[in-house]
C-alpha cells in the first residue's frame, strides 16, 4: 500500500509539474505578445508580472539570499578547520569572565562567556531580567484563549500537554457559554474564567496579569483553541529564542487536510488556504524575517511565542481593534523590541473555516484588523514602513485592477453570448466593440485564470494531492471575494470601532473525526 501511495504521489507530482510548465510557457508567450502589441513597453511587462505579485517576487529573491547565507554557514560549521578554530577560541574564552564593576546591582551588563552562541547568559541593564540562550534552559508558558470552543479545546490542550508540563499551560475562557472551562479544568491545566467577554486580546492580557507570566517565564506562547502543535514546535521555538535579538517567533501555519470531514465547499477553502499559506510563508515571510532585514508585519496569533521582556512593553489590548496579532507585531517594530524570527521548524496545524460564511467573516476580521493597526500606528521612518508601504500599495492597486478586470471580463462575456438581446441599450454596442478590440475575451481569460491555476499546479506537485487540480478550478471566485474585502475594509477601519469580542465559527470536534 505504501509503495502504491508513493508511486501515485510521484505520478501526481510529475503530471502537475508538466502541466504547470506547459501553462507557464503558453501564458508567457501569449502575455509577452500582448504586452508588445499593446505598445505599453516596460510598463506592460510590469503589469504582466503583477499577475504573480511584485512583492512575492521580491521576497522570494530575499528568501533565496537568506537560504544561501544559511547554507554557507551550515557548511562552514561542518568544516573541520572551522571547528578546530572555534574549539581553540572556546578554550581561550573560558579563561575570561567579565563581571560588572562593584559586584552589586549597578544596572550594568554582566556576561559569562562560553565561546558559543548557545550557553551564553545575558543580564539586561537595570533589572531587566536574564535571558538564557541555552535552548534547554528557556522556559515558556502556554496561553490558550478560548470562547465557546467546546468541540476543539480538548484537542488543543492535549497537543500542548504532549510538549509542555500541565502547570505551564494556562487556559482563559472568555465568558464562554458552553463547557470550555469545565473541559479544560478536567485536564489539570491552569484555568482562568472571565465573567465578561473581553475578546481575545483582553483575555490574553488578563491571564498574563493574573499569573504574572512575563515575570515567571522567558517566553509566552499564544495558542488558538483550534491549533495543534507539531512535535518539533517547542524545540524549534527555543532554538530561535536562543538568539537574544529575537523578540518574537512566528509560528509556521499548516492548513489541516482532512477532506473526509468536509463538504466540497470546505475542501475548496482548505485547499485554497493551503496554497495561500505556503506561498505567503515560503515566498514572502521567509525573506521578510531574514535577520538582515526584519520587516515581517505579522506574527500570526494562532501559535507564536513572544519573549517576556518584549511582551512586557507591548500594548496587547489597545481600544478599538478587532484582532491583536497585527498590532502586537507593529509594536515590536515600532518600539524596537527586537526582531521577528520565522523558520519552518515551528509548524502548527490550524483548522480552516468549514463554510463560506465563516470564511468571509474570518477574512473580514483579519483584513479589518490590518487596516485598523495601520491607522493606529501610521508610518514611521525605517525599512519596515518602507516595505509595508510597498505592500499596501500593491494590495490596493492589484485589488482594484483585479476587480476592474473581472468587471470588464463579465461585460465582454455578456456581450459575447447575449449581445443580440442587448443591442437596444444605448452605447452598449460601441462600448463592447471598443473593449474587445483592446482586451478580447481570450486575453482576459488567459490573463486572469492561467496564472492562478498555474500556482495550483505547483501546490499539487508539492503536496502530491491530485484533488487540488479539481478544487483549484474554484479558487478564482475566492480571490474575487478577497480583493473586494481588502478594499471594503479600508474605509471601515477609519469609521468603525471594535471591542474585539469573539464570534464563534463552526467547529468540528476530534471525536467526530
Amino acid at each position: 500500500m505504501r509503495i502504491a501511495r508513493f508511486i501515485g504521489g510521484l505520478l501526481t507530482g510529475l503530471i502537475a509539474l508538466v502541466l504547470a510548465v506547459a501553462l507557464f510557457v503558453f501564458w508567457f508567450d501569449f502575455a509577452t505578445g500582448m504586452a508588445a502589441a499593446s505598445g505599453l513597453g516596460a510598463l506592460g511587462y510590469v503589469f504582466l508580472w503583477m499577475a504573480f505579485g511584485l512583492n512575492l517576487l521580491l521576497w522570494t529573491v530575499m528568501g533565496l539570499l537568506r537560504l544561501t547565507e544559511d547554507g554557507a554557514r551550515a557548511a562552514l560549521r561542518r568544516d573541520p578547520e572551522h571547528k578546530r578554530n572555534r574549539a581553540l577560541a572556546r578554550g581561550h574564552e573560558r579563561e575570561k569572565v567579565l563581571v560588572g564593576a562593584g559586584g552589586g546591582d549597578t544596572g550594568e551588563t554582566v556576561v559569562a562567556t562560553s565561546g558559543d552562541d548557545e550557553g551564553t547568559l545575558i543580564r539586561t541593564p537595570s533589572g531587566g531580567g536574564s535571558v538564557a540562550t541555552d535552548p534547554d534552559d528557556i522556559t515558556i508558558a502556554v496561553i490558550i484563549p478560548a470562547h465557546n470552543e467546546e468541540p476543539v479545546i480538548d484537542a488543543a490542550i492535549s497537543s500542548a500537554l504532549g510538549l509542555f508540563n500541565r502547570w505551564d499551560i494556562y487556559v482563559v475562557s472568555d465568558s464562554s457559554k458552553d463547557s470550555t472551562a469545565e473541559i479544560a479544568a478536567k485536564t489539570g491545566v491552569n484555568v482562568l474564567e472571565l465573567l465578561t467577554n473581553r475578546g481575545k486580546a483582553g483575555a490574553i492580557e488578563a491571564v498574563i496579569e493574573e499569573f504574572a507570566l512575563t515575570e515567571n517565564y522567558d517566553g509566552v506562547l499564544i495558542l488558538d483553541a483550534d491549533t495543534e502543535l507539531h512535535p518539533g514546535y517547542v524545540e524549534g521555538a527555543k532554538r530561535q529564542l536562543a538568539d537574544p535579538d529575537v523578540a518574537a517567533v512566528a509560528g509556521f501555519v499548516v492548513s489541516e487536510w482532512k477532506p473526509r470531514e468536509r463538504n466540497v465547499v470546505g475542501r475548496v477553502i482548505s485547499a485554497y488556504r493551503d496554497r495561500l499559506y505556503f506561498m505567503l510563508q515560503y515566498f514572502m515571510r521567509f525573506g521578510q524575517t531574514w535577520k538582515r532585514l526584519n520587516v515581517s508585519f505579522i506574527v500570526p496569533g494562532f501559535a507564536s511565542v513572544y519573549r517576556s521582556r518584549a511582551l512586557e512593553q507591548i500594548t496587547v489590548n489597545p481600544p478599538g481593534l478587532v484582532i491583536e496579532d497585527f498590532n502586537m507585531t507593529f509594536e515590536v517594530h515600532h518600539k524596537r523590541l527586537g526582531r521577528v524570527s520565522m523558520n519552518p521548524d515551528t509548524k502548527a496545524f490550524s483548522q480552516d473555516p468549514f463554510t463560506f460564511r465563516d470564511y468571509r467573516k474570518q477574512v473580514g476580521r483579519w483584513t479589518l484588523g490590518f487596516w485598523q493597526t495601520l491607522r493606529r500606528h501610521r508610518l514611521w521612518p525605517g525599512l519596515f514602513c518602507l516595505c509595508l508601504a510597498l505592500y499596501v500599495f500593491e494590495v490596493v492597486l492589484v485589488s482594484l485592477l483585479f476587480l476592474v478586470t473581472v468587471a470588464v471580463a463579465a461585460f465582454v462575456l455578456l456581450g459575447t453570448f447575449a449581445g443580440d438581446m442587448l443591442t437596444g441599450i444605448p452605447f452598449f454596442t460601441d462600448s463592447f466593440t471598443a473593449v474587445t478590440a483592446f482586451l478580447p475575451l481570450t486575453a482576459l481569460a488567459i490573463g486572469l485564470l492561467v496564472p492562478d491555476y498555474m500556482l495550483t499546479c505547483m501546490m499539487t506537485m508539492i503536496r502530491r494531492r491530485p484533488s487540488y487540480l479539481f478544487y483549484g478550478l474554484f479558487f478564482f471566485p475566492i480571490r474575487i471575494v478577497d480583493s473586494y474585502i481588502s478594499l471594503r475594509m479600508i474605509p471601515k477601519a477609519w469609521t468603525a470601532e471594535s471591542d474585539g469580542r469573539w464570534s464563534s465559527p463552526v467547529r468540528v470536534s476530534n471525536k467526530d473525526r
Side-chain angles (χ1 to χ4, degrees), residues 252-511:
F252 197 92
V253 60
V254 179
S255 215
E256 65 170 14
W257 180 244
K258 298 176 181 177
R260 294 182 180 179
E261 303 161 10
R262 295 172 173 264
N263 58 22
V264 174
V265 173
R267 293 173 194 168
V268 170
I269 291 172
S270 187
Y272 177 76
R273 275 284 174 79
D274 187 37
R275 189 187 77 169
L276 180 66
Y277 288 154
F278 187 91
M279 289 192 303
L280 286 178
Q281 292 175 125
Y282 278 106
F283 297 151
M284 280 194 68
R285 287 182 198 150
F286 188 75
Q288 290 174 335
T289 51
W290 188 15
K291 65 180 182 180
R292 300 185 183 280
L293 297 172
N294 186 34
V295 293
S296 176
F297 49 84
I298 177 64
V299 176
F302 84 111
S304 296
V305 182
Y306 285 87
R307 194 183 295 278
S308 292
R309 61 188 170 99
L311 190 56
E312 288 174 341
Q313 302 179 62
I314 291 174
T315 305
V316 177
N317 187 31
L321 300 186
V322 68
I323 58 175
E324 84 295 338
D325 43 11
F326 282 114
N327 174 68
M328 292 176 70
T329 310
F330 276 48
E331 291 259 325
V332 169
H333 291 289
H334 204 170
K335 296 179 178 178
R336 302 179 185 274
L337 303 179
R339 69 182 184 88
V340 174
S341 177
M342 190 206 76
N343 272 308
D345 58 0
T346 50
K347 289 185 174 69
F349 302 90
S350 180
Q351 189 178 101
D352 298 309
F354 284 79
T355 66
F356 189 73
R357 177 176 176 271
D358 279 345
Y359 173 84
R360 181 177 52 79
K361 288 173 62 179
Q362 186 183 70
V363 173
R365 282 174 57 85
W366 290 353
T367 308
L368 179 59
F370 172 74
W371 293 120
Q372 285 179 334
T373 301
L374 193 61
R375 179 202 68 193
R376 177 175 184 262
H377 287 269
R378 304 184 186 278
L379 296 177
W380 62 93
L383 182 61
F384 171 77
C385 282
L386 174 62
C387 296
L388 177 65
L390 290 173
Y391 172 79
V392 169
F393 173 77
E394 185 179 57
V395 166
V396 174
L397 179 62
V398 170
S399 296
L400 280 170
L401 289 175
F402 190 72
L403 293 177
V404 168
T405 307
V406 168
V408 171
F411 174 76
V412 172
L413 193 66
L414 183 65
T416 301
F417 294 99
D420 294 339
M421 295 185 293
L422 302 173
T423 53
I425 299 177
F427 306 111
F428 178 83
T429 302
D430 292 339
S431 300
F432 176 76
T433 303
V435 170
T436 52
F438 182 70
L439 287 174
L441 185 61
T442 52
L444 290 167
I446 293 171
L448 288 174
L449 301 178
V450 173
D452 185 81
Y453 197 70
M454 204 186 307
L455 297 173
T456 299
C457 292
M458 290 175 57
M459 280 304 302
T460 304
M461 176 188 65
I462 293 166
R463 296 295 194 216
R464 297 183 181 181
R465 294 171 182 164
S467 59
Y468 278 19
L469 294 175
F470 170 71
Y471 298 129
L473 298 172
F474 303 96
F475 289 174
F476 188 75
I478 301 180
R479 287 192 63 191
I480 297 175
V481 173
D482 287 350
S483 296
Y484 170 76
I485 292 175
S486 295
L487 298 177
R488 170 67 183 88
M489 292 301 168
I490 295 176
K492 194 171 182 180
W494 270 263
T495 58
E497 292 292 328
S498 172
D499 56 10
R501 293 186 179 181
W502 312 59
S503 177
S504 301
V506 174
R507 299 291 196 198
V508 172
S509 169
N510 275 357
K511 298 177 182 179

Side-chain angles (χ1 to χ4, degrees), residues 138-339:
I138 294 174
T139 58
I140 297 177
V142 183
I143 296 175
I144 307 179
H147 174 70
N148 296 336
E149 299 286 6
E150 180 179 327
V152 295
I153 188 66
D154 186 58
I157 294 174
S158 297
S159 171
L161 283 172
L163 301 172
F164 295 90
N165 293 317
R166 66 180 69 251
W167 53 82
D168 293 327
I169 301 172
Y170 300 82
V171 175
V172 50
S173 175
D174 188 28
S175 188
S176 298
K177 305 302 180 185
D178 58 8
S179 301
T180 296
E182 289 82 354
I183 294 171
K186 289 179 182 178
T187 65
V189 302
N190 303 286
V191 179
L192 173 65
E193 187 166 13
L194 303 178
L195 299 181
T196 57
N197 191 338
R198 302 188 188 183
K200 183 180 177 182
I204 292 171
E205 187 177 55
V207 73
I208 290 174
E209 292 177 357
E210 180 69 23
F211 293 98
L213 298 184
T214 56
E215 299 174 17
N216 296 314
Y217 293 89
D218 297 316
V220 175
L221 165 61
I222 301 173
L223 189 67
D224 276 354
D226 64 332
T227 299
E228 296 185 30
L229 299 174
H230 185 274
Y233 182 93
V234 176
E235 182 182 352
K238 287 186 175 182
R239 185 163 50 244
Q240 293 178 62
L241 282 174
D243 183 345
D245 292 332
V246 171
V249 175
F252 197 92
V253 60
V254 179
S255 215
E256 65 170 14
W257 180 244
K258 298 176 181 177
R260 294 182 180 179
E261 303 161 10
R262 295 172 173 264
N263 58 22
V264 174
V265 173
R267 293 173 194 168
V268 170
I269 291 172
S270 187
Y272 177 76
R273 275 284 174 79
D274 187 37
R275 189 187 77 169
L276 180 66
Y277 288 154
F278 187 91
M279 289 192 303
L280 286 178
Q281 292 175 125
Y282 278 106
F283 297 151
M284 280 194 68
R285 287 182 198 150
F286 188 75
Q288 290 174 335
T289 51
W290 188 15
K291 65 180 182 180
R292 300 185 183 280
L293 297 172
N294 186 34
V295 293
S296 176
F297 49 84
I298 177 64
V299 176
F302 84 111
S304 296
V305 182
Y306 285 87
R307 194 183 295 278
S308 292
R309 61 188 170 99
L311 190 56
E312 288 174 341
Q313 302 179 62
I314 291 174
T315 305
V316 177
N317 187 31
L321 300 186
V322 68
I323 58 175
E324 84 295 338
D325 43 11
F326 282 114
N327 174 68
M328 292 176 70
T329 310
F330 276 48
E331 291 259 325
V332 169
H333 291 289
H334 204 170
K335 296 179 178 178
R336 302 179 185 274
L337 303 179
R339 69 182 184 88

Side-chain angles (χ1 to χ4, degrees), residues 113-124:
T113 309
S114 68
D116 200 352
D117 290 340
E118 296 184 1
T120 303
L121 183 66
I122 299 176
R123 293 189 179 94
T124 56

